[in-house]
Amino acid sequence: MAARGPTAAVPSLAASTPWQALRKHHAALHGTTLRELFKRDAKRGERLTAEGAGLYLDYSKNLVTDETLGLLLKLARARGVHKHAEAMFRGEPINVTEKRAVLHVALRAPKGTRIEVDGKDVVPGVHDVLDRMAAFSDKVRNGEWKGHSGKRIRNVISVGIGGSDLGPVMAYEALRDYSRRDMTFRFVSNVDPTDFVEAVRDLDAQETLFVICSKTFTTLETLTNAHAARDWCLQQLGGDEAAVARHFVAVSTNAEEVRKFGIDTDNMFGFWDWVGGRYSMDSAIGLSTMLAVGPEHFHGMLAGFHAMDMHFRHAPAEKNLPMLMALLSIWYNDFFGAQTVAVLPYAQYLKRFPAYLQQLTMESNGKHVTLQGTHVDYPTGPIYWGEPGTNGQHSFYQLIHQGTRLIPCDFIGFCQPLNPLHDQHDLLMANVFAQSEALAFGKTLQQVRAEGTPAWLAPHRVCEGNRPSNTILAQRLTPFALGTLVALYEHSVFVQGTIWDIDSFDQWGVELGKQLAKKVIPQLQDAHPRLDHDGSTNALIRRYRQWRDDKGGATPS
Ligand code: G6Q
């Protein structure tokens, strides 16, 4: 297959032989149940599993046979997934619409690895920044870095949005057990002033450090919040501009804008245009993570990422976790018409993991044209969503068990608790196993009747089963394990995007969003704006202005 790009001819996916073979096979499989598949093969639950980088994947409860898997793997081969992955690892500009390399894998490459972009090895630069981050984190954590008035830093507020926020928030929550408990870590992203005001309301500016995270350093929300932080700080610290240098650091690729904001570029931690925002939590964007858990644990997390990178690069396709998960996702998305994937971590510390994955997966693969710019004639990226278990079981699981939609689920669990309390961890994990079992095998009418259920009620209590799921187990939620989990999904997204022949690394829709409000802002603020939108938008703006300015109060308090 030719190298990928806007001009290289890639055979149409939907018309390709492996795709057509999968279509036929899907039709032939119609009506086959997981009950039958497990009955036919006593070893299925052990056979359809794979392990890598400390993760165990059980994918036996999926609506697949050996033939399905063979055909899916053939598809991956035909679409040149391995070759394309090698192009990524070599630093080729596979983000074709932005003409950039895609090298988040370089962020966790061990010292001494060589990865070139335009003939220059980027790995030494990565380690320089990591070393500077570590030196700075140590200083803040041991109290050597003082605020303007000489007090040590006890609060860290990371300001950023999207890719410059979701990773750090998720990682902080996930690794809270490893974090400094005598320091406060908060995250401000929304331009809604509430976000900032609530984050600082009980804090002392003398003890507060702001980490302003923005790749471009031009994002409206982040710059607005950064200015609010600056004002808040200066107000509390007597207005001395020199205070900014002790209370603000920046993470960005744009030194010019950082300087304009007033942050000393000595206090700037850089990264590179080959790191996409949603792939940046292991770059300097993770500075707040390092401040929370310390350099050693941060490196532990990077080692986990790297272990999964190596697994993805070298493990055979049929035992390759990201490959298998991606192919299964395509199977449901494109052949069963499933529109979503539920991610269900049974770990309270992973409460922000689904939100993080939403960006990773949906911003990457929410695309409607191929690399050649032609409209796809197959569905691309599914909607990812989820909540930690067991909470979700008491709300939306009902629809997964008995609704009319097929929702493939990823269950994630850990075998050892971080907070052992009586037998509670066993209770938690019993729910993982029980849920995936119930989804797969359900409860038949016969079983319901045998329980003495009256005939009229019986149909309501039947669970059809055949609801597919993956179960991912790790031994313990460590920084290493977190790295492997994130990289697992990163590479799964990559495989899916490669097969769909889309650019998983641009985000033109997000860029559009960044422009849109700019026109409306003055229309909310000018005395007599000319409203030139559609009728609905004009009326909404007028109603907003009316209610905003009506101090009589239209809303009862
Ligand atoms: C990520 C997206 C987007 C981006 C934010 C913040 O892949 O591009 O979520 O991270 O819009 O951008 P800045 O880091 O430039 O402020």
Side-chain angles (χ1 to χ4, degrees):
M1 188 168 160
R4 304 257 165 163
T7 50
V10 178
S12 151
L13 175 60
S16 69
T17 312
W19 197 263
Q20 290 300 330
L22 277 160
R23 274 226 171 291
K24 252 200 197 146
H25 173 68
H26 174 255
L29 211 61
H30 185 74
T32 310
T33 65
L34 282 167
R35 274 174 189 265
E36 284 164 34
L37 293 175
F38 272 84
K39 213 190 250 164
R40 254 190 250 159
D41 176 4
K43 290 255 176 258
R44 182 179 169 98
E46 287 144 59
R47 237 171 27 83
L48 299 194
T49 63
E51 274 187 83
L55 297 183
Y56 176 82
L57 168 68
D58 174 350
Y59 61 98
S60 63
K61 293 192 187 85
N62 279 290
L63 295 162
V64 292
T65 62
D66 288 347
E67 189 186 351
T68 322
L69 291 165
L71 290 172
L72 286 168
L73 289 164
K74 239 188 208 167
L75 173 71
R77 268 197 302 280
R79 303 301 290 177
V81 171
H82 181 68
K83 207 170 152 197
H84 196 47
E86 283 306 304
M88 170 175 73
F89 279 100
R90 277 198 305 270
E92 289 176 24
I94 63 163
N95 174 356
V96 297
T97 70
E98 296 182 320
K99 298 195 171 81
R100 285 177 183 164
V102 173
L103 271 181
H104 41 280
V105 292
L107 298 171
R108 53 261 193 162
K111 265 186 187 153
T113 317
R114 225 189 137 73
I115 302 177
E116 288 183 9
V117 175
D118 300 328
K120 187 173 173 257
D121 184 7
V122 298
V123 180
V126 167
H127 284 274
D128 283 352
V129 175
L130 283 170
D131 291 348
R132 284 187 59 227
M133 287 165 65
F136 177 72
S137 299
D138 283 341
K139 271 194 206 159
V140 173
R141 287 163 59 87
N142 67 25
E144 207 183 307
W145 178 280
K146 300 270 191 291
H148 186 59
S149 67
K151 285 195 173 178
R152 67 182 290 168
I153 298 297
R154 298 196 183 276
N155 317 310
V156 174
I157 301 196
S158 181
V159 180
I161 196 164
S164 296
D165 171 66
L166 286 159
V169 181
M170 182 278 287
Y172 170 66
E173 292 295 343
L175 301 179
R176 212 178 238 257
D177 193 55
Y178 303 83
S179 73
R180 279 284 288 264
R181 301 298 187 141
D182 58 347
M183 290 176 71
T184 300
F185 293 88
R186 294 193 182 148
F187 299 84
V188 173
S189 52
N190 202 334
V191 77
D192 179 344
T194 298
D195 205 10
F196 176 74
V197 171
E198 286 290 342
V200 297
R201 66 181 312 130
D202 55 346
L203 301 185
D204 178 355
Q206 297 181 80
E207 302 179 334
T208 304
L209 174 76
F210 289 93
V211 182
I212 312 295
C213 296
S214 176
K215 181 172 171 179
T216 54
F217 228 76
T218 55
T219 305
L220 171 88
E221 290 91 334
T222 303
L223 268 288
T224 306
N225 280 319
H227 281 285
R230 200 169 181 278
D231 293 348
W232 176 81
C233 228
L234 290 179
Q235 206 178 0
Q236 283 201 27
L237 298 176
D240 183 354
E241 292 276 338
V244 173
R246 304 306 298 170
H247 293 271
F248 284 81
V249 295
V251 180
S252 186
T253 55
N254 192 343
E256 191 48 44
E257 289 296 324
V258 168
R259 199 174 299 116
K260 268 197 221 156
F261 179 85
I263 297 178
D264 188 343
T265 44
D266 282 354
N267 298 337
M268 168 178 157
F269 299 87
F271 59 115
W272 306 271
D273 68 358
W274 40 261
V275 184
R278 55 197 175 274
Y279 295 88
S280 67
M281 61 171 273
D282 44 359
S283 71
I285 289 289
L287 182 60
S288 58
T289 314
M290 196 189 265
L291 284 160
V293 302
E296 203 176 315
H297 285 315
F298 194 84
H299 277 279
M301 182 180 81
L302 296 183
F305 271 102
H306 181 67
M308 184 53 76
D309 293 344
M310 292 301 97
H311 169 83
F312 174 54
R313 196 169 184 184
H314 300 298
E318 65 281 6
K319 285 283 163 200
N320 196 305
L321 274 72
M323 176 73 92
L324 290 165
M325 285 189 54
L327 293 174
L328 289 165
S329 178
I330 288 181
W331 179 230
Y332 296 120
N333 187 67
D334 291 282
F335 296 92
F336 285 76
Q339 298 199 343
T340 79
V341 176
V343 182
L344 309 166
Y346 278 64
Q348 190 59 24
Y349 284 128
L350 289 187
K351 66 179 184 191
R352 297 291 290 167
F353 193 62
Y356 171 77
L357 279 191
Q358 277 181 345
Q359 182 188 27
L360 178 68
T361 58
M362 290 158 71
E363 200 170 272
S364 296
N365 285 341
K367 308 292 161 64
H368 70 296
V369 294
T370 65
L371 295 179
Q372 294 73 46
T374 52
H375 211 289
V376 295
D377 53 0
Y378 40 85
T380 59
I383 298 156
Y384 277 74
W385 61 286
E387 277 286 321
T390 57
N391 297 12
Q393 288 175 208
H394 298 263
S395 63
F396 58 80
Y397 278 40
Q398 167 61 32
L399 189 147
I400 310 181
H401 281 287
Q402 286 193 305
T404 53
R405 294 171 195 281
L406 182 78
I407 302 181
C409 300
D410 289 351
F411 290 95
I412 301 171
F414 298 89
C415 300
Q416 296 177 1
L418 291 173
N419 293 298
L421 198 60
H422 307 293
D423 61 351
Q424 272 190 232
H425 193 73
D426 286 343
L427 304 188
L428 173 72
M429 292 304 291
N431 277 282
V432 176
F433 306 131
Q435 286 296 325
S436 66
E437 186 178 20
L439 286 170
F441 306 111
K443 199 170 191 182
T444 61
L445 188 60
Q446 229 175 358
Q447 286 172 311
V448 173
R449 286 224 175 110
E451 288 171 352
T453 311
W456 68 268
L457 183 59
H460 297 275
R461 299 187 63 168
V462 168
C463 290
E464 291 167 336
N466 254 2
R467 269 61 170 169
S469 67
N470 291 312
T471 301
I472 300 162
L473 294 180
Q475 198 171 21
R476 198 177 169 83
L477 176 49
T478 58
F480 183 95
L482 180 68
T484 59
L485 258 185
V486 176
L488 168 65
Y489 281 95
E490 284 179 350
H491 295 313
S492 166
V493 162
F494 174 89
V495 173
Q496 293 174 59
T498 306
I499 290 176
W500 289 320
D501 192 28
I502 55 180
D503 191 331
S504 300
F505 302 101
D506 61 11
Q507 56 284 312
W508 298 105
V510 173
E511 307 299 335
L512 172 68
K514 289 188 177 188
Q515 311 297 327
L516 289 178
K518 285 191 182 147
K519 175 178 170 191
V520 182
I521 294 167
Q523 295 176 337
L524 303 187
Q525 296 174 342
D526 293 353
H528 303 289
R530 202 176 69 82
L531 298 182
D532 54 356
H533 302 273
D534 57 277
S536 158
T537 310
N538 287 343
L540 285 168
I541 292 175
R542 277 195 288 270
R543 173 55 67 109
Y544 168 75
R545 291 178 61 112
Q546 183 196 339
W547 276 9
R548 179 193 62 191
D549 301 338
D550 172 11
K551 302 299 177 206
T555 314
S557 57

